Amino acid sequence: MSIDYSVYLAKERLPHLWCPGCGHGIILKNMLISMAEMEIPREKALLACGIGCSGRAGDYVNIHRFQGTHGRTLAYVTGIKMAHPELKIFCFMGDGDCSAIGIGHLIHAARRNVDVTAIVPNNLNYGMTGGQFSPLTPGESLTSTSRSGKAEPDMDLCRLAAEAGANYVARTTIYHVVEMKKRFIEATNNKGFSLVEVITPCPTYYGRYNQLGNAHKMIEWIKDKTVPLHKYEEMSVKNQEQHFWRGKLVEKHKPDLYTRYWQHERGMDHRA
Amino acid sequence: MMNKDNSIKFLQGNEACALGGITAGARFFAGYPISPASEIAELSSLLLPQRGGIYLQMEDEIASIAAVIGASLGGMKAFTATSGPGLSLMQENIGFAVMAEAPCVIINVQRFGPSTGVATRPGQADVMTTRWGTHGDHGIIVLAPTSVQECYDLTIEAFNLAESLRTPVILLTDATLAHLREKIVTRTDKELSIISRQKPDQVTEDYQPYRPGPDGVPVLPDFGDQNILRVTGLIHDHDGYSTPKPQTAGDLVHRLQQKIEGATSLMPAPRYFGSNDPEILIISFGISARSAREAVNRANDQGIKARLMQLPTIWPFPEEAVRYACYGASAVLVAEMNSGQICREVRACGIQREKVVGVNRADTAVITPGEILKAIKKTWFRWGFHPI
Ligand SMILES: Cc1ncc(C[n+]2csc(CCOP(=O)(O)OP(=O)(O)O)c2C)c(N)n1
Ligand code: SF4
């Protein structure tokens, strides 16, 4: 039997500051449940957060918790992981945090294959700062800085991470909660860099600007917009632009940074 | 007979910094190549793995200091080395290290700036950048060596201060010192007093990582310890949870400054050379202080009562010592390779404005003993002392 996930939760810190209908809490809960299923001891787990609404997740857990500066989470955890290879590190980074200011560190953490699980709650905009567009905001979306539609194209963070060398990459949505948990577990059990992007609602900004209705309606909207990866690949480019894919993009087993470092330097781990 | 004593070495300033760091117990270095600091990374990449340590070459200086902070919070003594452009990039995370109380050492090998400037030539214009480069009120420790021996000694000192006060410490050297070769005496960690951060002595369910000790320094567990560590750059309570409470914010920021300002007795004290009852006091630091020392020697030989006050600790600025040293002197010269950054600070100590004169050089060349001597003589005659 697995542990009760609430052992990881700082219950006295609740209620949380997220808006009603925000997806961040659901993703955090799923992360904690998957940790419980993997029976990770409380003191061997670290939640490393970026800056943003999603970054506040660290305030509601009582496992080791780290929150650095905006966008730099993966650089910090590269140091933490090399100092402490036995820690299970979960990173929680918003789409702005990870795909704009932090994109360089994502590419290099994936290339180095740092053994961490990166979770990206993608709410399609910058929540904390008032709903501006991020690199992952779909083209033409209305946001507080694109009142007549976002002129720039968006990008596929998952494909970028895969190309950069990540061992495991998947995307799912807030609607697919069972799948989300499964992905988190697969990602964590795969040693090396893993990324799971979760499409999630920000009803307060993205939903309001784009008239997507309340949180419930937004979740439906996300569900309707999302197709399995193989179906997506059969779509026309024009049709693809209107959809998100979900599924597993990569599952490899290359050695992680720590292993490679010591194999290379000494042929063995002298710290063991 | 050949000298078999391998504690005596012939090293570059940069090599002495790397060796000093490793002797102080550093087992983690993350950096990004930059002249004139690269040799520190190069030697670290060679020596650290042999000692069970980690060398990482990161994608930029922001990532370098971030990885250093991460390793430090994971329990390792960690350092990085850079120069002006890299230091500018590190500033946000240096403030984070202050806030998170992550001990680490940043070696800033000054080159001529601003911007790319002249990458291979020295300057001393990062004095204020090291003090005020990151935003928000904060305390910071900055040490400045004048010789290769001091590069070694002060790097060890920098680690001791970082560990005992749980704070980032900056070592301020320059392009000339970095590549200067001199004989130095090294020591083993057994021969030195090496300080390591305190660790919690018991495991409790509700351990408060940020509860300050009597010296204002909290005893943090490492990530991965039984005691849980919570770190954030947001204003936080003793548990490490964020809070915007004005009382907590005020107390925390006050403590972060006070733990540094209140610990100046731990920091290397000014060193004095030359006349004991000087008419002219020269204040200097780093490579400039070497020229100043020679200038003072020559001035003394010529019967001019001059004295050098060399500042190995430039931040916190040794206000009291400076005030005391300036007290008896008729004139104070501040010799530095910038447009007057330390000079401004000397004046801010309340020293009469007209009594303080800058001797500056800011053109990529090292200030010479001759230039400083000329300034000493000019002052000596202006103030009406006996011509030689
Ligand atoms: C260096 C820096 N630039 C800008 C900010 C302001 N800022 C805070 S949160 C945030 C973006 C948050 O958006 P996202 O990462 O998508 O997370 P969300 O709030 O949507 O969960 C920004 C730009 C900052 N804290 N630091
Ligand atoms: S602004 Fe958006 S992302 Fe932030 S808490 Fe509210 S719903 Fe969530």
Side-chain angles (χ1 to χ4, degrees):
Chain A
M1 221 356 245
S2 67
I3 317 171
D4 175 2
Y5 86 93
S6 67
V7 300
Y8 304 124
L9 205 57
K11 292 189 206 78
E12 72 283 6
R13 302 283 309 171
L14 298 172
H16 56 65
L17 58 51
W18 295 312
C19 309
C22 177
H24 290 335
I26 298 170
I27 303 171
L28 176 65
K29 178 173 171 176
N30 256 276
M31 190 200 93
L32 298 180
I33 291 175
S34 61
M35 280 170 51
E37 284 195 15
M38 291 180 281
E39 301 186 16
I40 299 173
R42 180 174 159 245
E43 68 282 359
K44 289 296 161 221
L46 168 72
L47 176 60
C49 295
I51 302 285
C53 296
S54 42
R56 293 304 183 93
D59 265 342
Y60 312 118
V61 297
N62 66 14
I63 57 177
H64 287 283
R65 166 277 179 91
F66 177 83
Q67 183 183 32
T69 49
H70 189 34
R72 316 298 172 195
T73 307
L74 292 171
Y76 291 106
V77 299
T78 302
I80 300 174
K81 189 70 189 185
M82 291 304 272
H84 255 291
E86 72 284 5
L87 264 179
K88 290 279 182 202
I89 301 182
F90 297 83
C91 305
F92 213 67
M93 303 167 294
D95 50 308
D97 190 271
C98 186
S99 78
I101 193 164
I103 191 77
H105 309 307
L106 172 78
I107 292 170
H108 292 286
R111 174 182 64 80
R112 292 189 180 99
N113 209 15
V114 186
D115 179 27
V116 298
T117 303
I119 297 171
V120 180
N122 177 8
N123 58 13
L124 310 175
N125 71 169
Y126 292 83
M128 181 64 96
T129 41
Q132 299 83 4
F133 64 82
S134 87
L136 302 193
T137 304
E140 298 304 328
S141 296
L142 300 175
T143 70
S144 63
T145 46
S146 61
R147 304 279 176 157
S148 53
K150 183 189 173 198
E152 297 176 13
D154 59 345
M155 66 191 248
D156 190 327
L157 192 71
C158 289
R159 288 191 195 275
L160 184 76
E163 192 58 38
N167 255 1
Y168 180 95
V169 180
R171 184 191 287 152
T172 183
T173 85
I174 198 94
Y175 179 82
H176 302 89
V177 271
V178 179
E179 180 182 274
M180 191 195 316
K181 192 184 74 186
K182 194 173 116 198
R183 296 296 181 225
F184 289 168
I185 292 174
E186 285 173 355
T188 309
N189 286 336
N190 193 329
K191 203 172 166 64
F193 189 78
S194 306
L195 181 118
V196 183
E197 179 184 336
V198 186
I199 313 279
T200 181
C202 169
T204 304
Y205 293 115
Y206 192 82
R208 187 157 54 86
Y209 280 116
N210 292 283
Q211 300 184 333
L212 298 174
N214 61 20
H216 174 85
K217 290 231 170 76
M218 265 202 93
I219 292 175
E220 296 248 299
W221 175 82
I222 289 170
K223 183 192 89 171
D224 294 342
K225 277 248 169 203
T226 307
V227 296
L229 182 57
H230 63 92
K231 275 204 179 155
Y232 181 87
E233 278 167 350
E234 287 159 11
M235 286 177 163
S236 67
V237 175
K238 219 171 161 49
N239 205 3
Q240 281 180 345
E241 281 169 7
Q242 301 304 314
H243 289 87
F244 304 114
W245 60 262
R246 60 170 245 277
K248 205 171 1 181
L249 190 63
V250 182
E251 196 167 23
K252 298 187 291 200
H253 301 281
K254 290 178 307 167
D256 72 306
L257 174 67
Y258 186 85
T259 309
R260 279 186 72 138
Y261 180 88
W262 284 114
Q263 271 173 354
H264 186 83
E265 290 295 351
R266 277 287 180 90
M268 59 187 288
D269 180 359
H270 275 240
R271 297 177 66 219
Chain B
M1 247 192 67
M2 261 186 49
N3 186 354
K4 282 264 174 65
D5 182 357
N6 55 13
S7 69
I8 296 181
K9 295 195 163 61
F10 187 59
L11 295 179
Q12 272 191 345
N14 276 348
E15 292 167 340
C17 287
L19 220 55
I22 292 168
T23 307
R27 289 296 176 272
F28 187 95
F29 181 100
Y32 188 83
I34 187 167
S35 295
S38 295
E39 292 86 357
I40 303 176
E42 288 167 8
L43 192 57
S44 299
S45 77
L46 186 72
L47 297 182
L48 281 172
Q50 297 169 7
R51 289 160 177 74
I54 307 280
Y55 167 83
L56 284 185
Q57 195 161 298
M58 299 301 287
E59 50 273 24
D60 56 35
E61 286 85 351
I62 301 176
S64 302
I65 180 79
V68 161
I69 292 167
S72 171
L73 293 170
M76 285 177 128
K77 288 190 186 181
F79 69 142
T80 184
T82 188
S83 187
L87 183 72
S88 292
L89 286 182
M90 288 183 185
Q91 292 294 357
E92 187 194 12
N93 281 349
I94 292 175
F96 174 77
V98 168
M99 190 69 138
E101 303 184 64
C104 56
V105 171
I106 300 132
I107 299 167
N108 181 46
V109 185
Q110 292 172 103
R111 65 191 229 182
F112 195 78
S115 190
T116 310
V118 182
T120 53
R121 300 296 307 165
Q124 290 186 314
D126 296 352
V127 172
M128 289 296 170
T129 309
T130 55
R131 178 62 190 93
W132 298 113
T134 197
H135 61 280
D137 277 339
H138 65 283
I140 193 95
I141 301 173
V142 180
L143 307 182
T146 60
S147 64
V148 176
Q149 182 70 53
E150 281 185 16
C151 283
Y152 179 78
D153 296 342
L154 291 188
T155 304
I156 296 171
E157 204 54 55
F159 269 100
N160 282 349
L161 288 166
E163 292 283 318
S164 43
L165 298 173
R166 293 208 65 113
T167 190
V169 176
I170 301 174
L171 189 84
L172 201 58
T173 76
D174 67 85
T176 302
L177 262 183
H179 296 142
L180 183 71
R181 279 188 189 276
E182 290 185 297
K183 185 180 100 174
I184 75 159
V185 182
T186 59
R187 297 271 174 252
T188 65
D189 52 351
K190 310 264 174 326
E191 296 165 314
L192 293 156
S193 60
I194 298 292
I195 300 172
S196 297
R197 64 193 79 174
Q198 278 190 29
K199 294 284 177 68
D201 50 15
Q202 54 185 6
V203 175
T204 56
E205 183 64 21
D206 48 4
Y207 187 80
Q208 293 191 298
Y210 283 97
R211 171 171 293 284
D215 53 357
V217 184
V219 180
L220 270 67
D222 297 333
F223 283 134
D225 284 355
Q226 291 286 114
N227 287 312
I228 297 298
L229 175 59
R230 295 177 205 92
V231 177
T232 176
L234 288 162
I235 291 293
H236 46 270
D237 57 21
H238 293 170
D239 291 317
Y241 285 120
S242 70
T243 166
K245 284 193 194 123
Q247 175 83 41
T248 314
D251 288 352
L252 176 55
V253 171
H254 178 73
R255 177 173 71 72
L256 290 176
Q257 294 173 83
Q258 216 32 55
K259 76 169 182 183
I260 307 291
E261 302 292 336
T264 48
S265 63
L266 302 178
M267 299 166 203
R271 299 177 64 192
Y272 300 93
F273 303 93
S275 169
N276 278 331
D277 59 335
E279 290 289 350
I280 300 177
L281 178 75
I282 293 96
I283 298 177
S284 192
F285 70 100
I287 193 74
S288 296
R290 263 178 108 105
S291 295
R293 197 168 156 186
E294 176 58 22
V296 163
N297 278 343
R298 291 188 204 164
N300 289 169
D301 286 347
Q302 296 176 25
I304 301 174
K305 289 205 269 178
R307 183 185 214 195
L308 169 66
M309 178 187 204
Q310 178 212 321
L311 308 180
T313 303
I314 53 178
W315 301 113
F317 195 70
E319 267 182 53
E320 255 173 65
V322 165
R323 228 176 271 131
Y324 187 78
C326 290
Y327 183 68
S330 308
V332 178
L333 304 187
V334 184
E336 50 188 331
M337 280 145 59
N338 59 48
S339 308
Q341 299 189 15
I342 289 285
C343 187
R344 189 188 173 93
E345 209 56 34
V346 172
R347 288 190 177 130
C349 290
I351 317 297
Q352 234 179 314
R353 213 190 141 76
E354 17 339 324
K355 186 167 150 178
V356 184
V357 183
V359 185
N360 309 98
R361 176 145 201 179
D363 65 352
T364 80
V366 176
I367 194 165
T368 64
E371 281 170 83
I372 300 171
L373 182 65
K374 207 169 129 195
I376 293 173
K377 282 183 162 172
K378 203 171 139 193
T379 311
W380 181 256
F381 293 126
R382 174 145 50 93
W383 284 81
F385 303 116
H386 299 295
I388 323 287

